[in-house]
């Protein structure tokens, strides 16, 4: 039986990975956490729980006897790159061949900022980018797959809870399907991300960076309408982006900010000073144009796509960028190749709605009787 | 009036994270004087002496009782040691404040109930000091038909207590799961507001040697019923609601003061006037500043013999019996 160490298993994604490993008979889940306070979360689901107590020697001991590592730890933002290299060293000293590292889609913003100073990179994205670079530079014989999820949703996700509450309140702030600057939502269903990571931990043979997202959503409005439907809410409950469309004046303010280098640097230092509406518009304005979703062959999960380059004047143009990895709907081929079948859209929505119901959110929001 | 001389039994996380600030504040105000601290671990004793420099440190309760003039004992040790510590202190004539749960075993706790001085021991159930709970205890009949009602209780989120070892969750080491940890709070609050339940049935995910991290409690009361969902793994909508034909009430379980009510499920929720809730708060009753912590309220009530804020040992035992008889 293969043993996969899940570093940072006490968090939302970690727990999902542990649950998914628990569905398989050929793999044991070794939960690796900093302190015993994560023990109650994991004791009845992981095969074993090990503690690092925050030390590198503790981490090495925790990884002993494992075949692969999936890192889903969060930690302090400032310590992200240090923690990643510490993990790689521990893998190398314990002879672990495969490491799956959870990065973030936000690293793309770091790259974009090199092309355009008007794009504001987040500290989190910068740190993850640094961690990715260091991992790949020092990988040596370790096979590393870096996952760059966007917003991870599904049962237990704080984002899902936020979206559900916003739906119930009729207060969704996202671009409508017919908006000028609409782009496909960058969402990934947590169990699918977990399955992809587990497959990679067991069988990957080369270094890869994986930008992963659900392929189901044509727009944010599409996602919210389907989520509303799955949870028994009427579609009229979805009021998309009305708040943003009304804010014409704020857009002018943003034009001013973005065309002035001094103001741009001021903004980078203190974007909290701007009104929330302005920040929302900023994100909307400088989001790339809709991505043309490219067909991916059933047997391959990675390809290169054409994406948008942001120019200094705020315009976009096409460029080849990175490696984009998506996946097609599950097919027999994937299963035959030993890869996990992925959860489809309807099942993902059903699983999420079922969890919301079981956890009492339907009752609290008065949806119980409606469904 | 001279300060009450106290011994602290158990100098670990409960003292450090719940009661330390309150005790130092009460010591400063002259209500209490910590003259002894007891813990079997050297490091814990040394640490406690930095918090209470005037105290003497002991490894065993008996040594503290022999060597020091004491009036009250504050028991913050692990639950499995509560009963033995409390019995020693009662025998020495001390009044006892014991952190919840009273014990890990109802049979063990029965020795305290049957003790001739059982009225000298009180159990700290901090949620009896919460304003919303105190308001509902007084006014629940205004909002809910108490002759036929249902309640639901959701409390869940990642465990965050700073423990140093996983043994606290091993059944073979007398560990306590979520039923004893959170369930005692939940059931005590229900019993305090709605009356003592007739029965409780529990389903949980306890496995092998591990205690449970998720549990569902079906509770039957003389004229109502309810369900509690407790979790250390899933984020739940942490709140407590009572529903009846007359209307519904809802409040959060972690001490937020707002109480919500509605006349039927079709109607929107309204907030009870905050001033009404505040007027029945422990702060108002004990004439303490609004910023006083719940721990300080609890300890002040114990030290000044205001027992309406604490759980009598017989009630704590009844709750424990329902939670551990499965």
């Amino acid at each position: 039986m293969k043993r996969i160490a899940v570093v940072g298993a006490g968090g939302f994604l970690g727990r999902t990975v542990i649950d998914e490993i628990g569905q398989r008979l050929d793999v044991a889940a070794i939960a690796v956490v900093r302190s015993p306070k994560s023990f109650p979360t994991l004791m009845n689901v992981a095969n074993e729980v090990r503690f690092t107590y925050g030390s590198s020697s503790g981490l090495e001991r925790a990884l002993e006897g494992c075949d692969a590592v999936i890192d889903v730890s969060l930690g302090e933002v400032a310590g992200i790159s240090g923690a990643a290299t510490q993990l790689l060293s521990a893998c190398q000293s314990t002879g672990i061949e495969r490491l799956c590292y959870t990065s973030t889609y936000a690293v793309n913003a770091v790259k974009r900022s090199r092309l355009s100073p008007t794009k504001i990179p987040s500290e989190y994205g910068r740190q993850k980018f640094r961690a990715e670079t260091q991992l790949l530079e020092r990988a040596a014989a370790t096979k590393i797959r870096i996952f760059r999820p966007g917003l991870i949703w599904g049962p237990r996700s704080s984002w899902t809870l936020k979206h559900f509450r916003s739906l119930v309140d009729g207060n969704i702030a996202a671009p409508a399907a017919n908006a000028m600057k609409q782009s496909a939502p960058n969402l990934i269903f947590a169990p699918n991300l977990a399955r992809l990571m587990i497959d990679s931990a067991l069988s990957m043979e080369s270094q890869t960076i994986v930008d992963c997202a659900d392929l189901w959503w044509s727009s944010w409005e599409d996602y919210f309408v389907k989520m509303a439907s799955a949870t028994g809410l009427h579609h009229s409950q979805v009021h998309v982006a009305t708040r943003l469309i009304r804010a014409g004046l704020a857009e002018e303010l943003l034009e001013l900010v973005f065309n002035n280098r001094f103001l741009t640097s001021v903004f980078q230092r203190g974007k909290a000073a701007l009104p929330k509406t302005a920040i929302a518009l900023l994100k909307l304005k400088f989001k790339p144009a809709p991505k043309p979703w490219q067909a991916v062959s059933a047997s391959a999960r990675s390809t290169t796509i054409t994406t948008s380059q942001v120019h200094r004047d705020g315009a976009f143009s096409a460029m080849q960028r990175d490696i984009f990895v998506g996946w097609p709907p599950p097919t027999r081929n994937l299963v035959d190749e030993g890869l996990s079948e992925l959860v489809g859209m309807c099942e993902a929505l059903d699983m999420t709605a079922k969890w919301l119901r079981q956890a009492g959110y339907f009752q609290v929001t008065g949806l119980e009787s409606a469904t | 009036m001279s300060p009450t001389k106290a011994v602290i039994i158990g100098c670990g996380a409960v003292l450090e994270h719940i009661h330390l600030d309150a005790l130092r504040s009460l010591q400063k105000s002259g209500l209490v004087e910590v003259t002894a601290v007891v813990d079997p671990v050297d490091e814990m004793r040394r640490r406690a002496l930095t918090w209470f420099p005037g105290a003497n440190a002991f490894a065993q309760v008996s040594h503290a009782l022999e060597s020091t003039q004491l009036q009250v004992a504050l028991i913050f040790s692990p639950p499995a040691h509560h009963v033995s510590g409390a019995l020693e202190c009662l025998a020495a004539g001390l009044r006892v404040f014991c952190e919840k749960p009273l014990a890990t075993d109802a049979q063990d706790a029965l020795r305290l109930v049957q003790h001739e001085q059982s009225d000298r021991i009180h159990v700290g159930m901090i949620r009896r000091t919460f304003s919303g709970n105190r308001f509902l205890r007084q006014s629940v009949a205004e909002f809910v038909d108490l002759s036929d009602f249902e309640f639901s209780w959701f409390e869940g989120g990642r465990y965050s207590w700073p423990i140093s070892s996983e043994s606290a969750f091993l059944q073979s080491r007398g560990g306590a799961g979520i039923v004893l940890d959170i369930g005692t709070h939940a059931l005590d609050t229900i019993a305090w507001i709605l009356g003592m339940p007739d029965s409780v049935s529990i389903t949980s995910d306890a496995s092998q040697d591990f205690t449970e991290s998720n549990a569902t409690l079906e509770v039957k009361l003389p004229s109502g019923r309810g369900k509690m969902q407790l979790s250390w793994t899933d984020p739940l909508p942490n709140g407590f609601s009572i529903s009846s034909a007359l209307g519904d009430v809802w409040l959060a379980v972690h001490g937020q003061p707002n109480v919500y009510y509605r006349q039927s499920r079709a109607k929107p929720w309204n907030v009870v006037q905050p001033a009404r809730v505040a007027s029945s708060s422990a702060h108002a009753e004990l004439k303490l500043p609004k910023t006083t912590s719940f721990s300080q309220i609890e300890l002040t009530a114990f030290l000044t013999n205001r027992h309406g804020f604490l759980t009598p040992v017989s009630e704590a035992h009844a709750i424990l019996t329902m939670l551990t008889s499965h």
Side-chain angles (χ1 to χ4, degrees):
Chain A
M1 181 180 274
K2 295 281 187 186
R3 293 155 71 86
I4 298 181
V6 183
V7 178
F12 148 65
L13 181 56
R15 173 63 205 267
T16 308
V17 174
I18 296 281
D19 282 348
E20 289 296 328
I21 293 176
Q23 304 289 319
R24 303 176 61 143
L25 297 174
D26 57 337
V27 191
I30 311 300
V32 177
V33 290
R34 184 177 285 262
S35 81
K37 76 177 182 182
S38 294
F39 188 75
T41 309
L42 298 159
M43 60 185 175
N44 289 309
V45 284
N47 294 73
E48 198 179 324
V49 185
R50 298 178 182 177
F51 310 111
T52 67
Y53 299 101
S55 74
S56 51
S57 58
L59 182 60
E60 283 181 21
R61 276 195 301 275
L63 299 186
E64 275 171 14
C66 294
D67 299 289
V69 169
I70 294 175
D71 176 35
V72 287
S73 58
L74 199 59
E76 295 291 321
V77 171
I80 283 173
S81 60
T85 50
Q86 188 187 50
L87 177 62
L88 179 61
S89 301
C91 287
Q92 290 169 338
S93 62
T94 50
I96 288 172
E97 282 185 7
R98 295 191 178 95
L99 166 63
C100 294
Y101 180 75
T102 310
S103 182
T104 170
Y105 191 77
V107 298
N108 291 309
V110 177
K111 288 188 174 182
R112 243 179 259 147
S113 73
R114 290 179 171 178
L115 301 169
S116 168
T118 57
K119 181 67 191 177
I120 313 300
S122 69
E123 176 63 12
Y124 180 62
R126 279 206 298 268
Q127 284 287 342
K128 282 289 188 185
F129 183 64
R130 193 172 301 153
E132 283 185 7
T133 309
Q134 289 177 353
L135 284 176
L136 295 175
E137 279 174 3
R138 300 176 191 189
T142 311
K143 292 161 188 156
I144 298 177
R145 182 158 291 175
I146 291 168
F147 291 84
R148 289 175 178 171
L151 193 155
I152 305 169
W153 71 285
R156 299 194 194 96
S157 159
S158 58
W159 285 107
T160 295
L161 289 175
K162 196 181 285 185
H163 289 167
F164 176 67
R165 284 179 171 138
S166 298
L167 277 169
V168 171
D169 295 343
N171 183 27
I172 299 293
N178 59 357
M180 290 283 287
K181 291 163 184 167
Q182 166 64 30
S183 64
N186 190 17
L187 294 155
I188 174 83
F189 185 57
N192 279 348
L193 176 59
R195 290 179 193 191
L196 196 63
M197 286 175 155
I198 295 163
D199 284 345
S200 299
L202 294 172
S203 61
M204 69 168 154
E205 291 301 332
S206 60
Q207 321 280 17
T208 328
I209 294 177
V210 179
D211 286 0
C212 40
D214 301 331
L215 290 181
W216 313 316
W217 317 110
S218 60
S219 66
W220 278 103
E221 185 174 11
D222 179 34
Y223 161 73
F224 282 118
V225 167
K226 288 194 169 97
M227 178 64 83
S229 172
T231 51
L233 285 160
H234 193 267
H235 63 80
S236 63
Q237 194 75 10
V238 183
H239 305 288
V240 180
T242 49
R243 204 176 58 185
L244 301 182
I245 289 164
R246 278 203 300 269
L249 187 64
E251 187 156 18
E252 285 175 22
L253 170 68
L254 288 174
E255 290 287 349
L256 177 69
V257 169
F258 275 68
N259 290 322
N260 183 309
R261 285 188 71 168
F262 171 73
L263 284 177
T264 302
S265 65
V266 169
F267 183 80
Q268 283 175 325
R269 287 202 302 270
K271 70 176 180 182
L274 276 179
K276 280 184 179 174
T277 324
I279 292 167
L281 260 171
L282 172 121
K283 288 179 179 170
L284 199 61
K285 181 175 173 61
F286 287 92
K287 204 159 188 171
K291 290 177 196 167
W293 291 98
Q294 295 188 346
V296 184
S297 73
S299 58
R301 287 184 174 186
S302 62
T303 185
T304 306
I305 66 156
T306 304
T307 185
S308 303
Q309 177 178 0
V310 186
H311 294 278
R312 192 176 287 270
D313 62 358
F316 296 100
S317 64
M319 65 176 280
Q320 293 282 314
R321 185 179 60 77
D322 286 331
I323 302 164
F324 179 86
V325 177
W327 52 82
T331 67
R332 291 303 305 166
N333 274 347
L334 293 178
V335 176
D336 292 345
E337 287 167 10
L339 297 170
S340 303
E341 193 167 343
L342 298 170
V343 178
M345 181 187 73
C346 295
E347 194 187 343
L349 287 165
D350 283 349
M351 284 168 69
T352 306
K354 187 178 172 192
W355 178 79
L356 286 166
R357 185 183 292 110
Q358 284 175 345
Y361 289 95
F362 278 32
Q363 192 174 334
V364 169
T365 51
L367 283 176
E368 192 75 315
S369 52
T371 54
Chain B
M1 199 172 78
S2 58
T4 304
K5 294 185 185 305
V7 53
I8 293 173
I9 299 171
C11 302
V14 174
L15 170 61
E16 183 182 1
H17 296 283
I18 297 184
H19 296 299
L20 180 58
D21 288 345
L23 274 170
R24 291 165 96 173
S25 177
L26 291 171
Q27 182 155 286
K28 203 172 171 184
S29 69
L31 193 60
V32 70
E33 182 188 354
V34 176
T35 54
V37 293
V38 178
D39 200 292
V41 180
D42 286 349
E43 189 191 332
M44 294 296 181
R45 289 199 300 274
R46 274 198 296 275
R47 206 174 54 148
L49 287 179
T50 64
W51 298 328
F52 302 104
N56 295 306
F58 301 92
Q60 291 179 30
V61 177
S62 57
H63 294 167
L65 297 174
E66 285 163 11
S67 319
T68 323
Q69 285 286 324
L70 295 163
Q71 293 162 289
V72 299
L74 308 171
I75 299 183
F76 306 141
S77 54
H81 302 290
H82 284 179
V83 173
S84 57
L87 285 170
E88 277 191 82
C89 294
L90 286 177
L94 272 56
R95 287 175 55 238
V96 177
F97 173 92
C98 180
E99 250 302 328
K100 69 90 202 176
L102 178 61
T104 54
D105 179 83
Q107 198 61 36
D108 197 20
L110 189 61
R111 293 194 288 156
L112 290 173
V113 181
Q114 292 173 339
H115 194 280
E116 58 185 11
Q117 302 211 34
S118 63
D119 60 336
R120 293 174 68 82
I121 174 168
H122 283 84
V123 182
M125 289 286 189
I126 205 161
R127 296 187 188 188
R128 290 195 181 198
T129 64
F130 291 178
S131 306
N133 291 345
R134 298 189 72 78
F135 172 77
L136 266 195
R137 178 173 155 82
Q138 291 170 16
S139 313
V140 67
E142 265 183 57
F143 307 99
V144 179
D145 175 6
L146 290 178
S147 67
D148 185 17
F149 63 88
E150 284 187 15
F151 77 85
S152 62
W153 184 295
F154 294 100
E155 188 164 357
R158 278 187 66 193
Y159 186 86
S160 58
W161 193 244
I163 51 167
S164 56
S165 160
E166 74 273 29
S167 63
F169 306 100
L170 302 180
Q171 296 189 32
S172 56
R173 305 267 189 94
I178 196 166
V179 170
L180 271 183
D181 188 35
I182 304 294
T184 42
H185 274 310
L187 203 58
D188 182 69
T189 306
I190 289 291
W192 195 54
I193 293 172
L194 297 170
M196 193 58 78
D198 290 333
S199 67
V200 179
S201 66
I202 302 173
T203 51
S204 79
D205 63 352
S207 65
Q208 300 168 356
D209 188 25
F210 303 128
T211 58
E212 71 287 345
S213 48
N214 287 279
T216 304
L217 284 65
E218 303 274 354
V219 182
K220 283 188 182 161
L221 293 112
S223 53
R225 68 215 70 81
K227 187 175 167 183
M228 294 174 168
Q229 200 165 322
L230 313 174
S231 179
W232 276 333
T233 63
D234 286 27
L236 302 184
N238 295 321
F240 158 42
S241 66
I242 314 170
S243 307
S244 74
L246 181 66
D248 307 341
V249 288
W250 186 92
L251 74 160
V253 293
H254 291 144
Q256 297 89 331
N258 283 349
V259 178
Y260 298 84
Y261 70 98
R262 62 184 177 188
Q263 288 169 327
S264 76
R265 286 193 176 180
K267 300 254 172 93
W269 288 101
N270 302 293
V271 185
V272 176
Q273 283 280 332
R276 275 199 72 195
V277 179
S279 68
S280 55
S281 72
H283 301 85
E285 202 171 325
L286 291 173
K287 297 186 172 59
L288 294 169
K290 284 179 185 172
T291 52
T292 308
S293 69
F294 293 123
S295 165
Q296 192 167 333
I297 291 170
E298 204 177 29
L299 293 171
T300 302
F302 171 72
L303 293 166
T304 57
N305 283 308
R306 301 288 294 273
H307 291 158
F309 299 85
L310 305 163
T311 302
V313 71
S314 57
E315 287 179 31
H317 176 259
I319 300 282
L320 189 64
T321 303
M322 285 185 219
L323 295 177
T324 57
S325 60
H326 299 272

